[in-house]
């Protein structure tokens, strides 16, 4: 990923990177991945930092990394040297939903945006345990479960 | 009522629990019509978030019908159809006045616990551990909504289905804010790491982050964290990518 992005950014002004729920990133071929897995199994590290580290390493000098999703505690091996020496900007936060409600509802009303495309499954509330398992393991191409009480 | 409760690592159950009640003048009770499982709920499910207790009611993406309002909620009436934002915000504190409602200073009754872990506390959040207030969540038949005069947004157009507006509660604004924080400008290359639908919300190809990305003709790359692989843009001036989460382009 970093190599491909480097090629893409050769002719571009800047790179912006954004991560969501990157704490659940699972794919990695790095030694750090093994380190994360061991520490998480022992509950000594609460986050999986692979996607976050990769987003930082991939971001071009002077670019911005926007971190969304959810992080609860601590991540190891955070590459602060890469952030500082390459003048990256990091911005993050739980969404300040209230300030987006009216403008985004307006866009839904005009038909400009229809977020319903993310829904893959509707289940009765009583099937919530099944919904969690399906969503966790991405069974049956599960992208989003809506429960109906 | 029936509610989805956390019962330990990798276990949730639907149980009979007491109905919620109005506890403050600014509360409302919502009868839930649709409620989603969020990717962040999977962190609770996995057991990686501290301060979860067996029996905690899950869920922070929900909408429904107002069935009871406190005396201090003048803007909602019984029968209103509302979507409820996942952060609970008072609307009056320094942070809320600045628009930073997810760090409201008055909505987290367990702020002392959160301060020990984070230095300062964040806002209360529905169904998301004691660290964020220990509020009962919305994967249930009913929910108590504190500060109901500030949070819920009325959906007055009955033509809008639940699926179209439900995600105003979390993932749509979350994806949107993720793009907004990048301050995307013309010519920028954008890469998105994400395992779930929030990425769709911010993917320039899906246009949910339209003001920041697609309208400024950025070049985009979307990658799932499970299969980190960029998709080259089809042209240098048009946003287009394939979202690996929903397999749409």
């Amino acid at each position: 990923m970093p190599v491909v992005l480097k090629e893409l950014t050769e002719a571009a002004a800047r790179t912006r990177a954004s991560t969501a729920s990157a704490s659940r990133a699972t794919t990695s071929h790095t030694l750090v991945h093994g380190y994360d897995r061991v520490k998480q199994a022992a509950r000594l590290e609460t986050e999986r930092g692979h996607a976050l580290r990769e987003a930082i390493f991939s971001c071009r000098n002077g670019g911005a990394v926007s971190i969304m999703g959810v992080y609860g505690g601590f991540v190891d091996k955070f590459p602060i040297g890469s952030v500082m020496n390459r003048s990256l900007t990091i911005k993050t936060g739980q969404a300040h939903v209230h300030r987006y409600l009216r403008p985004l509802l307006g866009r839904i009303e005009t038909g400009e945006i229809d977020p319903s495309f993310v829904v893959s499954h509707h289940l009765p509330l009583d099937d919530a345990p099944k919904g969690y398992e399906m969503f966790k393991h991405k069974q049956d191409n599960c992208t989003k479960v809506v429960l109906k009480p | 009522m029936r509610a989805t409760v956390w019962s330990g690592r990798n276990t949730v159950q639907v149980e009979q629990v007491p109905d919620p009640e109005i506890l403050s003048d600014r509360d409302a009770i919502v009868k839930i019509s649709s409620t989603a499982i969020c990717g962040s709920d999977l962190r609770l499910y996995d057991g990686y978030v501290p301060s979860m207790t067996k029996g905690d009611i899950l869920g922070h993406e929900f909408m429904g019908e107002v069935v009871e309002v406190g005396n201090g909620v003048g803007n909602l009436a019984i029968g209103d159809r509302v979507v409820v934002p996942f952060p609970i915000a008072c609307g009056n504190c320094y942070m809320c006045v600045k628009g930073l409602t997810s760090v409201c200073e008055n909505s987290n009754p367990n702020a002392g616990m959160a301060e020990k872990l984070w230095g300062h506390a964040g806002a209360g959040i529905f169904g998301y551990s004691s660290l964020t207030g220990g509020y009962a969540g919305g994967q249930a038949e009913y929910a108590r909504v504190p500060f109901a005069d500030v949070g819920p947004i009325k959906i007055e157009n009955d033509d809008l289905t639940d699926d179209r507006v439900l995600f105003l509660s979390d993932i749509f604004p979350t994806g949107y804010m993720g793009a907004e924080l990048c301050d995307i400008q013309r010519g920028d290359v954008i890469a998105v790491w994400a395992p779930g639908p929030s990425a769709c919300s911010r993917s320039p190809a899906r246009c949910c982050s339209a003001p920041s990305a697609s309208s400024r003709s950025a070049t985009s790359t979307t990658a799932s964290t499970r299969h980190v692989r960029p998709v080259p843009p089809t042209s240098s001036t048009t946003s287009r990518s394939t979202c690996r989460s929903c397999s749409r382009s």
Side-chain angles (χ1 to χ4, degrees):
Chain A
M1 186 75 169
V3 174
V4 178
L5 275 173
K6 208 167 183 175
E7 292 169 3
L8 281 173
T9 54
E10 275 176 358
R14 292 179 294 183
T15 301
R16 307 283 163 182
S18 183
T19 76
S21 299
S23 48
R24 291 190 290 113
T26 53
T27 301
S28 169
H29 301 294
T30 62
L31 290 173
V32 176
H33 176 59
Y35 170 93
D36 282 338
R37 297 295 287 185
V38 170
K39 290 206 72 169
Q40 284 150 16
R43 291 306 200 249
L44 294 172
E45 185 180 21
T46 57
E47 319 297 327
R48 293 177 201 159
H50 172 63
L52 177 60
R53 296 184 197 107
E54 196 174 73
I56 290 169
F57 283 127
S58 301
C59 193
R60 199 184 190 196
N61 290 358
V65 180
S66 164
I67 306 167
M68 304 307 289
V70 67
Y71 290 83
F74 300 90
V75 62
D76 287 16
K77 309 292 183 193
F78 182 79
I80 185 64
S82 178
V83 175
M84 189 269 160
N85 289 292
R86 302 194 302 107
S87 299
L88 302 189
T89 296
I90 289 186
K91 286 191 176 182
T92 183
Q94 293 277 9
H96 305 296
V97 173
H98 298 66
R99 73 185 187 200
Y100 297 103
L101 285 174
R102 293 207 175 278
L104 294 189
L105 175 60
R107 285 170 178 244
I108 292 170
E109 283 176 326
T110 60
E112 185 183 349
I113 295 168
D114 180 2
S116 65
F117 74 90
V118 302
V119 179
S120 59
H121 292 78
H122 292 93
L123 296 175
L125 179 67
D126 288 338
D127 286 346
K130 179 182 167 191
Y132 271 82
E133 274 298 294
M134 286 177 66
F135 190 35
K136 174 172 178 172
H137 299 292
K138 306 291 179 272
Q139 297 163 350
D140 193 27
N141 295 316
C142 181
T143 55
K144 190 73 173 175
V145 177
V146 173
L147 301 170
K148 308 294 278 188
Chain B
M1 69 167 183
R2 289 173 301 127
T4 308
V5 302
W6 189 80
S7 310
R9 198 179 299 171
N10 291 316
T11 313
V12 299
Q13 292 173 321
V14 178
E15 292 183 353
Q16 199 70 30
V17 301
D19 287 353
E21 296 175 0
I22 297 277
L23 300 179
S24 150
D25 281 351
R26 295 175 70 185
D27 286 354
I29 304 292
V30 172
K31 182 183 182 188
I32 293 160
S33 58
S34 289
T35 173
I37 303 175
C38 179
S40 59
D41 287 328
L42 296 180
R43 284 183 55 78
L44 305 175
Y45 191 61
D46 287 345
Y48 276 103
V49 177
S51 80
M52 285 297 288
T53 306
K54 288 183 182 178
D56 283 355
I57 300 174
L58 298 166
H60 56 267
E61 297 179 353
F62 61 95
M63 63 177 295
E65 178 189 343
V66 175
V67 292
E68 202 176 343
V69 289
N71 293 330
V73 183
N75 58 321
L76 293 180
I78 291 171
D80 283 348
R81 183 175 176 231
V82 293
V83 177
V84 181
F86 79 86
I88 301 167
C90 75
N92 303 322
C93 70
Y94 178 77
M95 293 300 169
C96 283
V97 169
K98 288 180 70 167
L100 305 177
T101 49
S102 75
V103 286
C104 169
E105 295 172 328
N106 288 325
S107 63
N108 187 345
N110 300 331
M113 182 192 295
E115 283 167 4
K116 285 179 184 163
L117 183 64
W118 298 329
H120 299 261
I125 295 175
F126 291 99
Y128 213 83
S129 84
S130 296
L131 277 171
T132 59
Y135 289 97
Q139 287 166 10
E141 290 184 283
Y142 296 90
R144 177 177 78 93
V145 178
F147 300 122
D149 53 327
V150 175
I153 184 169
K154 270 195 270 191
I155 308 297
E156 290 169 308
N157 182 346
D158 290 337
D159 292 337
L160 295 176
T161 61
D162 278 15
D163 282 2
R164 289 181 73 182
V165 293
L166 172 61
F167 304 115
L168 287 168
S169 58
D170 181 351
I171 60 170
F172 185 13
T174 293
Y176 192 92
M177 185 167 121
E180 199 174 73
L181 290 183
C182 282
D183 186 27
I184 297 164
Q185 295 177 26
R186 185 178 295 275
D188 284 352
V189 172
I190 316 300
V192 183
W193 280 255
S198 285
C200 306
S201 304
R202 86 190 60 183
S203 164
R206 295 304 310 173
C207 298
C208 290
S209 48
S212 48
S214 61
S215 64
R216 295 184 186 174
S217 301
T219 305
S220 69
T221 300
T222 302
S224 156
T225 47
R226 284 178 182 270
H227 307 279
V228 176
R229 186 167 67 86
V231 181
T234 51
S235 83
S236 59
T237 55
T238 306
S239 298
R240 182 65 60 189
S241 68
T242 300
C243 172
R244 296 184 61 86
S245 294
C246 60
S247 303
R248 294 175 188 223
S249 58

